[in-house]
Amino acid sequence: MAHCIRCGLSEEIFISTGKFGCGSCHKVLFSGNLSRLGNKNRDENIDSINDLESIRRAIHSPTYRLRIARCLRKGFFPHYTSQVEEIRSLLSRLKIPFHDTKNESLELNIGEKFYFGEEDHLRYEWKSSEPAIFLQNKIWNSHFLRFLFLKQLWAWEKNIGFINSCPTNCGRGDRLSVQFRIPKPTYFDLIRQLSPFLGFGIDFLPKPESEVGNILDSDLILVQISCKNAVPRQKLRFFKILSLLGLG
């Protein structure tokens, strides 16, 4: 059975966990361009959706999120070890402005946090009630976040991009998402209308209440629509869907 010669991750364990153990796992367990995994090509005309006014009125409390995940080039991925102290030391050396909020996260400014040792070594997340975070110019030009794009620091390979614990995160390692509450009947109507346009790097899923710590009205469902590790064409489709829903 195939296994990674660097970290020892076997094909059997990979199939059961869906996670890489190090940056070399893909050479044995996958071939081809990992950044395109799961991105089915959907060419249906999204402009054919024209009856969303009732759905727009039913959307409650949208929250916008930007996530960037990274794993260190040296060492194993959190499947084996979290390397939290190494990440803390790195941020300290780079003089990243933060203060401790919990053992598992560091808060920067309001709505901005770093998370450690979960699925990846480091995850940056920016949460806002405004869609302006998706313009991203502030993020990519931020002097203290440019280190997230240093190829010599993070697991990275040509023709793949940044390598993360989850294969579908490989590439840019970013995710844009919007969470909102919606009545159950409206949810099923919306999923019916969106289903022809999903699968092209775009997901629309209900979210477990435990992830947000809120107890919602029984008639409402917390849902998330997201665009993960997307190429420009995917992001254009994602933003078009948000616009049609009055969320962009």
Side-chain angles (χ1 to χ4, degrees):
M1 181 172 288
H3 67 278
C4 176
I5 60 174
R6 180 168 181 249
C7 71
L9 183 70
S10 68
E11 184 178 7
E12 181 181 12
I13 294 177
F14 173 75
I15 291 173
S16 67
T17 63
K19 302 292 186 289
F20 285 155
C22 73
S24 299
C25 287
H26 67 93
K27 295 178 181 177
V28 174
L29 303 171
F30 270 103
S31 61
N33 190 337
L34 294 178
S35 66
R36 300 296 179 268
L37 282 175
N39 293 339
K40 299 177 182 178
N41 196 349
R42 297 293 183 95
D43 290 324
E44 290 86 350
N45 181 12
I46 196 169
D47 291 315
S48 63
I49 299 181
N50 54 22
D51 185 24
L52 293 177
E53 183 59 34
S54 62
I55 293 177
R56 291 191 199 102
R57 293 197 301 267
I59 290 175
H60 297 264
S61 308
T63 300
Y64 300 82
R65 296 169 186 252
L66 166 64
R67 184 204 69 187
I68 303 174
R70 293 289 183 263
C71 279
L72 291 168
R73 176 174 287 275
K74 297 180 179 179
F76 299 147
F77 288 1
H79 179 79
Y80 288 102
T81 175
S82 65
Q83 296 186 258
V84 169
E85 292 307 315
E86 288 82 350
I87 291 294
R88 287 181 178 272
S89 177
L90 168 67
L91 296 180
S92 179
R93 292 198 309 270
L94 294 172
K95 298 181 179 179
I96 302 296
F98 61 74
H99 63 272
D100 281 297
T101 55
K102 297 179 181 179
N103 290 333
E104 71 276 11
S105 67
L106 297 177
E107 184 169 346
L108 289 81
N109 302 311
I110 296 176
E112 294 183 87
K113 284 186 179 182
F114 283 121
Y115 294 86
F116 307 131
E118 296 179 351
E119 186 173 276
D120 300 290
H121 287 144
L122 180 66
R123 186 176 87 243
Y124 168 79
E125 189 170 292
W126 187 9
K127 176 182 175 182
S128 174
S129 60
E130 300 293 334
I133 64 170
F134 288 165
L135 298 178
Q136 297 186 38
N137 289 334
K138 174 184 174 183
I139 295 295
W140 310 139
N141 294 327
S142 173
H143 71 282
F144 68 86
L145 289 179
R146 291 176 185 169
F147 79 100
L148 291 173
F149 299 91
L150 297 177
K151 299 172 184 177
Q152 68 272 24
L153 181 60
W154 309 106
W156 182 91
E157 285 209 11
K158 186 178 180 181
N159 299 323
I160 295 176
F162 294 100
I163 302 171
N164 294 78
S165 177
C166 178
T168 60
N169 285 345
C170 295
R172 288 177 58 89
D174 63 358
R175 183 172 192 157
L176 308 177
S177 62
V178 182
Q179 291 184 3
F180 53 91
R181 301 174 177 88
I182 195 167
K184 291 179 182 178
T186 309
Y187 166 76
F188 291 112
D189 183 31
L190 182 55
I191 195 67
R192 177 182 57 81
Q193 297 211 47
L194 288 184
S195 59
F197 312 103
L198 304 177
F200 183 50
I202 300 174
D203 298 316
F204 180 62
L205 299 168
K207 296 290 292 180
E209 292 302 317
S210 59
E211 290 192 15
V212 293
N214 293 326
I215 300 176
L216 303 180
D217 187 286
S218 59
D219 293 330
L220 296 176
I221 298 177
L222 179 69
V223 298
Q224 174 176 282
I225 182 169
S226 65
C227 187
K228 183 177 182 181
N229 191 42
V231 296
R233 185 181 172 201
Q234 293 167 312
K235 288 185 179 178
L236 286 175
R237 181 166 291 243
F238 174 72
F239 291 138
K240 180 66 174 179
I241 291 173
L242 295 189
S243 178
L244 289 171
L245 292 175
L247 293 169

